Amino acid sequence: MTSPARTLADLVLGSAEPEEAVSLMDAALRSGRLDRLDVARAAAAGRPGCRRAEPWWSRADGRSESALETRARLVLVDGGLLPEQLQWLVRDESGVPVARVDLAYPSRRVAVEADGVRFHVGAGGNRGASGVAWTRDGVDPVFRDRRRQNALARLDWKIVRVTWFDVVDQPLEVIANVRGALSSRPA
């Protein structure tokens, strides 16, 4: 058994790519097992792979809620499009929360939503006669997302949706789509 910090250091040093390592860091922060990365970083110091991993530590952000969100954020940062906010709560004119978006540029009303297969396809639930899947919490996540998207559109937000395939296999397209959305919106 090792401490959370030592376990994270081992995993980061064994990661094949920076996106994997940063996703692990984000998950460790998000889980609450670590509130800072300096102890894990120190546990990695002087070990094989520590020089390669050194620039990765500063890229972690525990607000990312999935490996897909982390990878989307890293693609955007690498493309010069640092998101202004993560897990941004969008409110309507009267201050009522309408949606929480994964990555946001509130100054331009642009949101980037990372759509994972497990959440959308693997949600399960029972399908009624209408074909709508109902879960313990209510409506199928796909339909809930559509309602959120309509509410955001009503508030003049532009949404760019990305998938695992997009961020891994077509990162330049992701960057172009977000850059296009941002350039079409006044500051």
Side-chain angles (χ1 to χ4, degrees):
M1 299 269 294
T2 61
S3 69
R6 173 58 193 257
T7 301
L8 179 61
D10 292 347
L11 291 169
V12 167
L13 294 175
S15 293
E17 56 186 18
E19 296 84 2
E20 177 185 356
V22 176
S23 292
L24 291 165
M25 292 177 212
D26 286 356
L29 290 170
R30 184 177 58 256
S31 75
R33 300 265 184 206
L34 293 173
D35 56 356
R36 299 182 340 259
L37 295 178
D38 55 341
V39 177
R41 190 175 189 173
R47 296 176 52 200
C50 71
R51 286 190 188 145
R52 178 177 61 103
E54 184 56 32
W56 303 344
W57 295 98
S58 64
R59 302 188 81 184
D61 189 320
R63 295 175 295 168
S64 287
E65 293 185 337
S66 70
L68 175 56
E69 286 182 25
T70 296
R71 285 179 179 258
R73 177 173 49 84
L74 294 176
V75 163
L76 294 172
V77 169
D78 290 346
L81 301 171
L82 175 68
E84 295 170 6
Q85 298 290 335
L86 277 65
Q87 308 312 325
W88 181 252
L89 187 61
V90 178
R91 298 175 184 274
D92 68 13
E93 303 84 3
S94 61
V96 175
V98 171
R100 185 169 53 89
V101 296
D102 299 330
L103 308 160
Y105 301 87
S107 68
R108 301 284 179 98
R109 291 189 183 208
V110 172
V112 178
E113 288 285 88
D115 290 337
V117 171
R118 184 175 62 184
F119 180 75
H120 288 94
V121 175
N126 298 315
R127 295 209 177 265
S130 65
V132 174
W134 295 93
T135 65
R136 276 184 296 142
D137 300 330
V139 174
D140 183 297
V142 172
F143 293 103
R144 189 172 36 244
D145 272 0
R146 296 309 169 262
R147 283 199 309 253
R148 284 178 60 249
Q149 186 166 337
N150 288 339
L152 289 166
R154 189 173 57 249
L155 295 172
D156 197 31
W157 277 73
K158 189 164 195 161
I159 297 104
V160 177
R161 294 191 169 280
V162 298
T163 65
W164 188 266
F165 172 78
D166 297 328
V167 298
V168 172
D169 293 334
Q170 298 185 19
L172 296 178
E173 188 173 317
V174 170
I175 293 166
N177 289 340
V178 173
R179 184 171 280 127
L182 290 168
S183 68
S184 72
R185 313 295 295 202

